[in-house]
């Protein structure tokens, strides 16, 4: 990982995203670029009560970005952050700035988001259009674990994208000295939306296939230098529910953008889409080229 890009808008959640991105930059020895996208009708100021200014420009946005970074990071870290203030909408600006990045980081909701929404319009747009690994940061439910006691949960299904997510999660676990939890869920065949449970149906083969997915994941992880034993979860049922259950009290979830069974034209699979809206902690979505 060489470059991390994070979106900033002065909100509390954006501040949490900046702290998370800064830690990632330190773990990976990467550069960190903070992006504040502004426009005539999207003015950011040090004093939020200042009135609308028809002459608002890039220098004003730069001062606001400098202030936001200084409020969140220690001075020695703040001075290392590169700053970009494009005059653009937030989502297109972040996609442009992250075109050569190793990781794009955004908060789940930013300034101006409706309170009841689990995912803001910017993060929603990014998960459907980014070609880079995307971290969606929301507060961890409960207390974050100290270094050496963290848990990272990754969902696998035997697909190529899931393998990329597994490798990404393994590297993160290695750098954090964290426990990696590998989750795979399998289900009975479906007919008209309901599990097929006809008399005499033998699910042994399906369960064996599911166990092989876990075995393949363990085999891959064996050569990646993890410092702690890998935990595995094999469950009959819904994949998203299985990952969310395993992620209770976790520090990070990692998932591929699309797994087996997804329609070719879809940019985001149903499982990952569900995780993006309901993850109890930061979520990293790894695309096919991630």
């Amino acid at each position: 990982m060489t470059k991390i890009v994070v979106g900033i808008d002065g909100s509390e959640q954006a501040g949490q995203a900046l702290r998370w991105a800064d830690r990632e930059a330190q773990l990976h020895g990467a550069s960190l670029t903070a992006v504040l996208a502004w426009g005539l009708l999207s003015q950011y100021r040090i004093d939020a009560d200042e009135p609308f200014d028809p002459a608002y420009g890039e220098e004003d946005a730069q001062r606001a970005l400098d202030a936001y970074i200084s409020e969140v990071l220690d001075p020695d870290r703040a001075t290392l952050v590169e700053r970009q203030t494009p005059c653009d909408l937030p989502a297109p600006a972040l996609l442009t700035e992250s075109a050569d990045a190793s990781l794009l980081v955004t908060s789940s909701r930013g300034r101006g988001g409706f309170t009841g929404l689990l995912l803001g319009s910017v993060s929603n747009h990014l998960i459907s259009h980014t070609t880079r690994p995307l971290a969606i940061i929301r507060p961890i439910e409960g207390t974050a674990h100290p270094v050496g006691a963290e848990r990272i949960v990754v969902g696998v299904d035997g697909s190529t994208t899931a393998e990329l997510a597994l490798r990404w999660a393994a590297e993160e676990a290695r750098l954090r000295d964290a426990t990696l939890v590998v989750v795979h869920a399998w289900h009975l065949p479906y007919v008209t939306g309901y599990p097929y449970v006809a008399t005499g149906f033998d699910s042994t083969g399906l369960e064996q296939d599911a166990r092989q997915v876990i075995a393949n994941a363990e085999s891959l992880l064996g050569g990646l230098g993890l410092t702690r034993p890998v935990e595995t979860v094999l469950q009959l049922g819904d994949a998203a529910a299985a990952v969310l259950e395993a992620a209770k009290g976790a520090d990070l979830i990692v998932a591929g953008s699309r797994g087996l069974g997804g329609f070719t034209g879809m940019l985001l699979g149903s499982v990952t889409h569900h995780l993006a809206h309901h993850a109890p902690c930061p979520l990293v979505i790894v695309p096919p080229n991630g």
Side-chain angles (χ1 to χ4, degrees):
M1 190 178 296
T2 58
K3 177 182 177 181
I4 298 173
V5 172
V6 58
I8 300 294
D9 66 2
S11 67
E12 180 180 350
Q13 287 202 27
Q16 293 167 348
L18 176 58
R19 290 189 191 93
W20 192 92
D22 180 61
R23 185 195 178 197
E24 286 297 292
Q26 293 181 65
L27 284 172
H28 292 270
S31 66
L32 178 59
T33 299
V35 178
L36 174 68
W38 61 278
L40 185 60
L41 299 181
S42 299
Q43 300 185 0
Y44 298 88
R45 295 185 175 281
I46 300 173
D47 183 354
D49 294 327
E50 288 189 40
F52 173 80
D53 182 3
Y56 187 93
E58 186 168 355
E59 290 185 0
D60 299 292
Q62 187 69 54
R63 282 193 291 271
L65 179 56
D66 291 343
Y68 295 156
I69 293 172
S70 296
E71 288 174 0
V72 172
L73 301 181
D74 293 333
D76 60 328
R77 294 300 307 169
T79 58
L80 299 177
V81 179
E82 299 178 22
R83 296 130 201 259
Q84 296 292 334
T85 52
C87 181
D88 199 351
L89 294 173
L94 287 169
L95 291 173
T96 298
E97 295 294 340
S98 65
D100 62 344
S102 304
L103 178 66
L104 173 59
V105 181
T106 184
S107 57
S108 55
R109 282 194 304 112
R111 194 179 77 165
F114 294 102
T115 303
L117 291 176
L118 294 172
L119 205 63
S121 59
V122 173
S123 48
N124 235 331
H125 186 92
L126 293 177
I127 63 176
S128 297
H129 293 88
T130 183
T131 59
R132 316 309 304 153
L134 172 67
I136 301 174
I137 309 306
R138 55 165 46 93
I140 294 175
E141 294 181 359
T143 304
H145 296 111
V147 174
E150 294 176 278
R151 294 176 67 250
I152 296 175
V153 175
V154 58
V156 297
D157 64 2
S159 66
T160 301
T161 307
E163 180 179 326
L164 291 172
L166 181 62
R167 290 181 180 275
W168 201 101
E171 175 64 6
E172 192 70 15
R174 186 184 68 81
L175 292 173
R176 294 191 186 198
D177 189 25
T179 296
L180 184 63
V181 182
V182 180
V183 180
H184 176 59
W186 62 286
H187 57 77
L188 300 175
Y190 281 79
V191 174
T192 65
Y194 294 93
Y196 180 72
V197 290
T199 302
F201 178 78
D202 185 0
S203 64
T204 303
L206 293 176
E207 185 173 356
Q208 288 176 343
D209 290 343
R211 292 188 182 281
Q212 189 60 50
V213 170
I214 289 291
N216 291 343
E218 290 178 311
S219 177
L220 185 152
L221 293 171
L224 297 183
L226 294 177
T227 56
R228 297 185 180 276
V230 174
E231 297 180 9
T232 59
V233 176
L234 180 62
Q235 184 170 314
L236 173 63
D238 179 73
V243 172
L244 291 175
E245 179 65 26
K248 290 181 178 178
D251 299 273
L252 179 66
I253 299 173
V254 181
S257 57
R258 267 197 316 117
L260 293 175
F263 294 102
T264 303
M266 293 179 67
L267 295 173
L268 197 69
S270 59
V271 173
T272 308
H273 187 272
H274 189 88
L275 295 177
H277 284 267
H278 299 286
C281 60
L283 166 71
V284 171
I285 301 172
V286 180
N289 58 346

